[in-house]
Amino acid sequence: MKKVIGVMPLWDEDKNSLWMVPGYLDGVREAGGLPLILPLTEDPDEIDQLSGLCDGFLFTGGHDVDPALYGEVPVNNSIISCAARDVMEKYVLDHALSSDKPVLGICRGIQFINAALGGTLYQDLPVQHPSDIEHHMVPPYDREQHKVSIISDTPLAEVVGVKSLGVNSYHHQAVKQIAPDLRPMAVSPDGLTEAVYMPSRRFVWGVQWHPEFSYRSDESARRIFRAFVEAC
C-alpha cells in the first residue's frame, strides 16, 4: 500500500476556485507516495477526519501568510493572504505534530510552518531585505536561480550529499526569525534561511525553493521528495 500524502490546496480568488501545480502531485508519486488534494475547509471535525486518512502532509506554495499569525500588521499592500488556508493549515500542522506524521513545506510551506511555530517572516523582501540575489525569478522555473549553502550535520546534508546546491527561487517573503523548535539546514548567499527542520520530530522539513518544478531534471529535488515519502 502506498502512503497517502495530504496536499494543501491552492486557492484562486479571481476564479473562485481550487487549483493545483501538477509537480506537487507528480513529485510525490515519483517518490512512491499517493497524493491526495485536500478540500479547503475550516471545520475542525472535517480536518481531523481528513488528517486521519493521511500518512504525511505536503504544505504547498501560494498565498502570503497573514502577518497576524506572527503578531505583525502588513507592511504594504503586496501582502495577499488567504484566511481559510491559514486556519486549515494550522489545524493540519497541529495534527501532524501531535501524531508525529511527516511534513514537507515548500515556499509558503516553510514560511507557514515557521510562523505557526513562533517564528517571524520578512513580509516583502525588496523592502525589508534588499539584495543583489534575485529571489523572484521568471519562467522557466526548472533551472538554477542562485546557490544555497547546505549546513553540515543536518538531515538535508545527509540526503543531498553536497555542500552547495543550485536552486530555483520564486518568492517575496522568507523566514526572518527562526521558530524556537526549528533549526536551519540551508542559507542563501544574502543570508536568508532557505531550509529548516524540526529535530524533535522524525520528519518536519521546509524548503524555500521549488522541487515541484525541478524534480524531473534535478536529482536533489527527487531526493527531497523521496526522503519525505520514505519517512511516511
Side-chain angles (χ1 to χ4, degrees):
M1 294 287 289
K2 294 182 177 181
K3 296 302 181 180
V4 176
I5 309 301
V7 181
M8 301 303 114
L10 306 178
W11 175 252
D12 186 323
E13 294 96 342
D14 294 336
K15 296 181 180 179
N16 194 32
S17 174
L18 298 177
W19 68 288
M20 183 51 58
V21 174
Y24 289 123
L25 310 181
D26 295 340
V28 166
R29 292 181 65 205
E30 191 273 343
L34 183 63
L36 174 67
I37 304 173
L38 300 181
L40 186 61
T41 174
E42 301 177 59
D43 186 308
D45 292 334
E46 291 183 352
I47 295 170
D48 283 344
Q49 185 173 350
L50 289 165
S51 296
L53 300 174
C54 301
D55 302 293
F57 302 94
L58 177 57
F59 284 68
T60 54
H63 284 80
D64 300 325
V65 177
D66 188 341
L69 188 61
Y70 47 97
E72 296 184 10
V73 297
V75 296
N76 56 35
N77 60 8
S78 73
I79 314 304
I80 302 174
S81 59
C82 175
R85 280 197 68 176
D86 289 343
V87 170
M88 173 182 170
E89 292 182 10
K90 184 63 167 64
Y91 278 120
V92 173
L93 182 61
D94 288 346
H95 171 93
L97 296 179
S98 64
S99 56
D100 201 15
K101 291 183 179 180
V103 171
L104 174 61
I106 294 176
C107 194
R108 170 194 153 89
I110 183 178
Q111 297 162 13
F112 180 83
I113 292 167
N114 185 66
L117 294 178
T120 63
L121 304 179
Y122 290 107
Q123 294 187 35
D124 189 26
L125 288 176
V127 172
Q128 296 181 307
H129 190 82
S131 169
D132 292 335
I133 302 296
E134 178 56 67
H135 291 283
H136 199 269
M137 68 190 296
V138 297
Y141 299 123
D142 60 344
R143 58 187 174 88
E144 178 182 325
Q145 177 65 16
H146 63 77
K147 300 284 188 182
V148 297
S149 297
I150 308 298
I151 298 174
S152 60
D153 299 322
T154 62
L156 181 62
E158 182 178 350
V159 165
V160 298
V162 296
K163 296 181 179 179
S164 179
L165 189 64
V167 299
N168 51 14
S169 189
Y170 187 70
H171 60 106
H172 85 111
Q173 296 196 324
V175 171
K176 186 178 182 182
Q177 179 180 349
I178 299 177
D181 291 334
L182 299 178
R183 298 292 180 271
M185 296 197 292
V187 182
S188 66
D190 55 352
L192 290 180
T193 299
E194 292 270 345
V196 299
Y197 76 109
M198 192 174 187
S200 63
R201 296 297 185 274
R202 58 194 176 103
F203 193 104
V204 175
W205 286 23
V207 298
Q208 185 58 71
W209 60 92
H210 289 270
E212 79 279 10
F213 286 130
S214 58
Y215 77 94
R216 284 193 171 91
S217 58
D218 181 12
E219 174 61 20
S220 68
R222 291 192 291 271
R223 289 185 179 190
I224 289 170
F225 274 119
R226 285 199 294 267
F228 168 51
V229 172
E230 287 170 7
C232 294

